Amino acid sequence: MVCETIANARSEPERYRHTMLGLLLDTRDAEGRELPEAEIRDQMMTMLLAGHETTANLLCWIWYALGENPEVEAGFYEEADALEPAGEQAFDAYRSLSYTNRIIQEALRLYPPAWIILRETDQAVTMLGEAFPAGGSFLISPYAIHRNGNVFEEPEAFRPERFREGAGKWPRFAYFPFGGGSRSCIGAQFALLEAALILAVLGRRFRFRRTDAGPVRPEPLVSLRIRGGLVMTPQRRGEAIRRGLANDRRGGYDENRKPSTEEIERI
């Protein structure tokens, strides 16, 4: 599939001009040479694999969390409905989704797709009185660290408002869903952009409801999945309702205003 897409992009460059693949095909090294075919393929495979499963699992956790928290869900739909339905550039739309981004950050805190991170020491080190040799391996779990009650108030609760002032108020590495240092995730900003836009586009049209009320348990595999998956039914949202809420909130979503019971039911 990837090789076929690359071939299509070479034969129709204008169609792919503003895509990642188009940028790779236009890239030249210091001597003016194109990137090798194998490197373009590898870059596309990395984006497809690393940027697909992790984001998909994160979105599943977000839809689950929204269904469990009606006030947060109402705020999400209110902000999505305030977006212009067409004509807005992706980056402009992303910047206007402040509450949606806090929802994503809170989901990354509770359900980080990269639930465990491997690091190796390049030299001997002593920590907390324990000596570790060079080449020692460490397994670091954002899933566990993000639930530290000494840092996060009500650590098990889904509260996007805790990110109103960003993550800088907490100690370094108290919150690190994308890792840290020189080996942090190179696609972090892309993942945040992708997740926010997908949520907004789907949220304008549908609400998602679980088909059962059974317990949801995490399954820590390559990334953090929901064990057994999450079966939900999309329900098309009424156009009149969306227009009415958007007209009521032209100034954008105000997270300090709690939605009324009537609004929650309408959404």
Side-chain angles (χ1 to χ4, degrees):
M1 180 184 73
V2 170
C3 292
E4 181 181 350
T5 303
I6 293 173
N8 290 339
R10 289 193 182 281
S11 63
E12 300 179 70
E14 191 60 35
R15 180 183 174 188
Y16 291 83
R17 183 172 300 280
H18 299 296
T19 68
M20 175 185 166
L21 178 54
L23 294 174
L24 287 172
L25 291 173
D26 288 341
T27 299
R28 300 293 184 270
D29 64 16
E31 279 97 36
R33 294 173 299 198
E34 296 182 355
L35 294 178
E37 189 81 3
E39 182 171 350
I40 294 175
R41 180 203 63 208
D42 291 347
Q43 293 287 354
M44 292 301 297
M45 286 296 294
T46 298
M47 182 60 70
L48 178 64
L49 296 177
H52 173 264
E53 180 182 7
T54 50
T55 304
N57 285 331
L58 173 63
L59 291 173
C60 285
W61 283 112
I62 290 175
W63 290 120
Y64 161 72
L66 290 176
E68 296 294 306
N69 297 271
E71 288 189 0
V72 176
E73 182 185 47
F76 161 71
Y77 284 125
E78 187 175 321
E79 183 174 75
D81 291 339
L83 279 178
E84 292 297 326
E88 194 164 16
Q89 294 296 318
F91 285 109
D92 294 332
Y94 173 69
R95 282 193 289 266
S96 69
L97 294 171
S98 58
Y99 189 64
T100 301
N101 274 285
R102 290 175 193 137
I103 290 173
I104 293 170
Q105 289 175 305
E106 178 70 342
L108 286 168
R109 184 186 69 83
L110 282 172
Y111 314 109
W115 65 278
I116 199 162
I117 299 171
L118 173 67
R119 289 291 184 267
E120 295 182 353
T121 55
D122 57 6
Q123 59 186 9
V125 63
T126 299
M127 292 190 298
L128 301 176
E130 297 287 340
F132 301 91
S137 297
F138 293 84
L139 292 175
I140 309 164
S141 176
Y143 181 89
I145 294 173
H146 288 177
R147 294 165 184 262
N148 184 348
N150 294 322
V151 176
F152 301 101
E153 183 180 350
E154 295 184 84
E156 300 294 330
F158 189 80
R159 292 174 45 190
E161 66 271 14
R162 72 173 86 240
F163 284 91
R164 184 183 293 115
E165 300 172 10
K169 60 183 178 180
W170 298 307
R172 190 182 183 192
F173 297 123
Y175 176 77
F176 57 113
F178 295 103
S182 60
R183 298 294 181 182
S184 61
C185 177
I186 195 173
Q189 292 304 312
F190 174 79
L192 294 172
L193 171 68
E194 178 184 37
L197 294 180
I198 291 174
L199 285 169
V201 169
L202 290 177
R204 285 183 60 83
R205 294 167 174 80
F206 303 99
R207 61 186 296 181
F208 294 86
R209 286 291 173 262
R210 293 180 59 190
T211 59
D212 64 81
V216 169
R217 295 186 177 91
E219 185 173 25
L221 299 176
V222 175
S223 60
L224 190 69
R225 300 182 179 186
I226 295 177
R227 186 182 297 275
L230 185 69
V231 181
M232 306 188 85
T233 300
Q235 300 174 350
R236 187 173 294 277
R237 299 177 62 221
E239 182 67 26
I241 291 177
R242 292 197 291 106
R243 278 201 307 267
L245 289 174
N247 289 335
D248 290 344
R249 305 287 175 249
R250 289 264 180 219
Y253 173 62
D254 179 6
E255 67 183 85
N256 293 315
R257 184 193 68 82
K258 288 190 175 182
S260 66
T261 302
E262 180 184 357
E263 285 178 318
I264 292 174
E265 291 174 349
R266 287 168 62 198
I267 292 173

